[in-house]
Amino acid sequence: YASLFSKYLFSGCSVVEYGCGVAPFTNHIIENMMGQCKDMGFSLVDVDGEHLEFAKWRLKKKAPNNSFDFYSVTPESPVPNFNKNFDVSR
């Protein structure tokens, strides 16, 4: 899955997973591409709920040294103000 994007992933790159749920894309990167994930930053976006909470718990536990930013969206505000650019989006 994430291996399709492996040529775009590099140390220090910034990844956004919009509508992340339990963050399967980011989790796959963490589990299968750790060598390439060094210093990568991840932004994860979804509605508040148990799926996003599980994603927070799991990713912080598996990769405590990576940077994770979590954003909650609402119908009134469906796109967060990221104030940054991304190298890979899913």
Side-chain angles (χ1 to χ4, degrees), residues 33-84:
M33 308 173 88
M34 261 325 241
Q36 224 170 325
C37 295
K38 187 176 181 179
D39 301 324
M40 287 176 68
F42 297 93
S43 296
L44 297 107
V45 184
D46 211 330
V47 295
D48 278 329
E50 57 194 44
H51 288 108
L52 186 58
E53 290 303 313
F54 178 76
K56 290 177 185 180
W57 172 81
R58 175 170 68 169
L59 296 173
K60 288 179 180 179
K61 182 176 180 177
K62 286 185 178 183
N65 296 324
N66 279 85
S67 171
F68 297 102
D69 294 317
F70 296 93
Y71 298 90
S72 295
V73 292
T74 64
E76 296 79 27
S77 181
V79 179
N81 184 8
F82 292 113
N83 292 323
K84 60 181 154 182

Side-chain angles (χ1 to χ4, degrees), residues 12-33:
C13 78
S14 182
V15 177
V16 62
E17 186 172 0
Y18 191 92
C20 68
V22 297
F25 182 73
T26 301
N27 186 64
H28 181 81
I29 293 171
I30 297 298
E31 285 186 346
N32 298 290
M33 308 173 88

